[in-house]
């Protein structure tokens, strides 16, 4: 078997913060225990197949720039097999526990649906063998329902029932394969489930079809006994002008309306949050507050660019706040941190994939350590607890218990007069956060 990443001779190791070696972890020490779990157990890092092995650096102004040995075989199935071997070499040299893929990242589409299914089954069998050999696990699988021209007007929300049926057939196979590979989850990202213009769109009908499609996926999951967690991945726009899974709140409303809220959690992606005009932390907190925080696509955008740049996460403040919310919510159960990120177009060498992942893993390891110390100090918790203490007794407790109506509240206010106000202390709290970075 050829070696696809010869620049990295041995698995990347933890060398500590003083190390000057570029291909080493300075902070991610997989066995180090924090709050009773190892770093590896907390962070559950995953490598995504699409950007890391199928992305070649193309952008709207030019084709790919990255030449990879595993793309050399001319036969698409031979190329798919070579890529799978390269992927598992990469996972084991990097030392990640998980990977994620779309059906047609791992295997080419055939001339017919039946041939596509056979391609996927064949490459999935190889993946299963490599999983067994290496111990690397599947964090989640998914189906690509947005690249092929048949899905240009959506998959589940397509005006054509034939295309709904085609999409269902693809998801059915992707669920079977995710089960076969022991996947901890399955993601629905509605790539083209939205619209470009309302002049040609029946929004209500499309939403109903999306609800039905997801309910049918739940039925099939139960039928085949697939135990993985279902996730929806919110994104406000791109490729469509307006996507139905806009953000955490709109997904939550959708899931409730269609009776799916107990079957799905969210896969929150950092830059999808910022594209929606939120912060990553807002989206995590919203999901956590509503019991639907499931998994994370870890990346970042660029403040100067309004599109989905999918850069590797390196911002320690952001990683700290993200881990703070995740730890407070009880940590990952089935989910993890999937690097839905790609190296820049000029980072053409295979070794750049290592630099990118090592930096991101170190950034989240620092985030985890910072967040654990911040939590242990209880500085923010105590402040917030005091800020809302009025609700623990007396008037607040009675309101929360539903014991006072508007008339009683008016009588209380007339009796007690103008309420006291308290400082929000934002600047002091920002200073506290900085002490932990
Ligand atoms: C697209 C995106 C997808 C999903 C999986 O922006 O994030 O790669 O993560 O379909
Ligand atoms: Co994503």
């Amino acid at each position: 078997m050829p070696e696809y990443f010869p620049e990295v001779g041995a698995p990347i190791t933890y060398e500590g913060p003083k190390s000057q070696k570029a291909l080493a972890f300075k902070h991610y020490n997989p066995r180090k225990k924090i709050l009773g779990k190892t770093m590896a157990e907390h962070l559950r890092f995953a490598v995504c197949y699409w950007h890391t092995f199928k992305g070649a650096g193309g952008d709207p102004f030019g084709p790919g720039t990255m030449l990879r040995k595993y793309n050399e075989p001319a036969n698409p199935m031979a190329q798919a097999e070579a890529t799978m071997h390269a992927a598992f070499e990469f996972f084991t040299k990097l030392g990640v526990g998980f990977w994620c893929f779309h059906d047609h990242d791992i295997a080419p589409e055939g001339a017919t649906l039946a041939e596509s299914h056979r391609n996927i089954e064949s490459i999935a069998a190889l993946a299963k063998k490599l999983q067994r050999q290496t111990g690397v696990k599947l964090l989640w699988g998914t189906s690509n329902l947005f690249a092929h021209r048949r899905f240009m007007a959506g998959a589940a929300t397509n005006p054509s029932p034939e295309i709904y049926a085609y999409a269902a057939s693809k998801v059915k196979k992707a669920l079977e394969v995710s089960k076969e590979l022991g996947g901890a989850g399955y993601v629905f990202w509605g790539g083209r489930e939205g619209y470009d213009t309302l002049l040609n769109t029946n929004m209500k009908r499309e939403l109903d079809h999306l609800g039905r499609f997801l309910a049918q996926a739940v039925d099939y999951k139960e039928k085949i006994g697939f135990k993985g967690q279902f996730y929806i991945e919110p994104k406000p726009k791109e490729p469509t002008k307006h996507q139905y899974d806009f953000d955490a709140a709109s997904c939550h409303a959708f899931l409730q309306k269609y009776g799916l809220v107990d079957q799905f959690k969210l896969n929150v992606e950092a830059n999808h949050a910022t594209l929606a005009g939120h912060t990553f932390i807002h989206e995590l907190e919203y999901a956590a507050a509503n019991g639907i925080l499931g998994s994370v696509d870890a990346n970042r955008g660029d403040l100067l660019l309004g599109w989905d740049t999918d850069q590797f996460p390196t911002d320690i403040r952001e990683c700290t706040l993200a881990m703070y919310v995740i730890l407070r919510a009880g940590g990952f159960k089935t989910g993890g941190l999937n690097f839905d990120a790609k190296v820049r177009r000029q980072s053409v060498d295979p070794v750049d994939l290592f630099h990118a992942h090592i930096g991101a893993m170190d950034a989240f390891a620092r985030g985890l350590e910072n967040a654990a110390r911040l939590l242990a100090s209880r500085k923010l918790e105590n402040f917030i607890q005091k800020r809302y203490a009025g609700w623990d007794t007396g008037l607040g407790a009675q309101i929360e218990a539903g014991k006072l109506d508007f008339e009683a509240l008016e009588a209380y206010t007339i009796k007690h007069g103008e309420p006291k106000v308290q400082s929000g202390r934002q600047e002091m709290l920002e200073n506290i956060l900085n002490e932990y970075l």
Side-chain angles (χ1 to χ4, degrees), residues 48 50-51 102 140 187 189 233-235 267-270 272 296-299 308 310 338-341:
C48 87
W50 50 102
H51 289 314
H102 301 83
W140 49 261
V187 163
W189 169 60
E233 182 175 320
K235 184 173 184 180
N267 181 39
V268 175
E269 178 161 326
H272 293 181
V296 166
D297 269 9
N299 62 11
D308 199 6
D310 281 335
N338 168 47
F339 294 117
D340 191 353

Side-chain angles (χ1 to χ4, degrees), residues 66-298:
M66 299 159 194
L67 308 175
R68 304 287 193 234
K69 217 161 45 170
Y70 42 85
N71 286 334
E72 284 170 9
N75 174 310
M77 283 301 278
Q79 195 182 100
E81 280 172 27
T83 307
M84 189 58 75
H85 283 286
F88 276 82
E89 181 189 329
F90 184 81
F91 303 152
T92 43
K93 284 184 171 173
L94 183 64
V96 285
F98 298 92
W99 65 302
C100 298
F101 70 95
H102 301 83
D103 44 7
H104 290 304
D105 302 335
I106 63 166
E109 282 222 42
T112 61
L113 180 70
E115 189 186 331
S116 293
H117 282 0
R118 281 196 299 277
N119 290 351
I120 293 164
E121 281 163 14
S122 152
I123 302 294
L126 173 62
K128 190 173 177 182
K129 190 178 98 190
L130 293 170
Q131 283 194 163
R132 207 179 311 120
Q133 278 170 15
T134 59
V136 176
K137 298 190 174 88
L138 178 64
L139 189 68
W140 49 261
T142 186
S143 176
N144 183 327
L145 303 176
F146 45 87
H148 193 281
R149 67 189 291 279
R150 78 176 72 87
F151 297 125
M152 67 185 185
T157 64
N158 200 289
S160 155
E162 274 86 17
I163 293 170
Y164 178 105
Y166 206 109
S169 317
K170 280 186 95 230
V171 170
K172 175 178 174 289
K173 179 53 62 190
L175 289 173
E176 291 162 10
V177 164
S178 299
K179 181 194 174 213
E180 184 66 16
L181 294 176
Y186 186 93
V187 163
F188 293 84
W189 169 60
R192 293 189 195 269
E193 312 294 26
Y195 61 84
D196 291 323
T197 172
L198 284 172
L199 298 178
N200 64 15
T201 303
N202 184 335
M203 189 195 279
K204 179 179 183 320
R205 220 161 175 182
E206 291 202 357
L207 288 167
D208 286 349
H209 294 166
L210 186 56
R212 175 172 301 279
F213 191 91
L214 296 177
Q216 288 192 278
V218 170
D219 288 346
Y220 193 64
K221 170 189 194 235
E222 282 165 6
K223 181 160 189 190
I224 63 173
F226 173 40
K227 299 276 178 281
Q229 172 66 49
F230 271 2
Y231 309 103
I232 291 196
E233 182 175 320
K235 184 173 184 180
K237 56 187 172 195
E238 200 190 60
T240 58
K241 185 181 93 162
H242 187 109
Q243 302 208 190
Y244 295 135
D245 303 332
F246 190 95
D247 62 358
S250 51
C251 287
H252 188 226
F254 176 90
L255 291 171
Q256 290 178 97
K257 172 169 180 200
Y258 291 97
L260 296 165
V261 77
D262 296 332
Q263 320 288 340
F264 284 81
K265 292 197 189 307
L266 299 187
N267 181 39
V268 175
E269 178 161 326
N271 195 43
H272 293 181
T274 47
L275 290 174
H278 300 307
T279 62
F280 179 30
I281 316 309
H282 166 89
E283 289 290 88
L284 291 173
E285 187 76 44
Y286 186 89
N290 289 286
I292 52 170
L293 177 55
S295 200
V296 166
D297 269 9

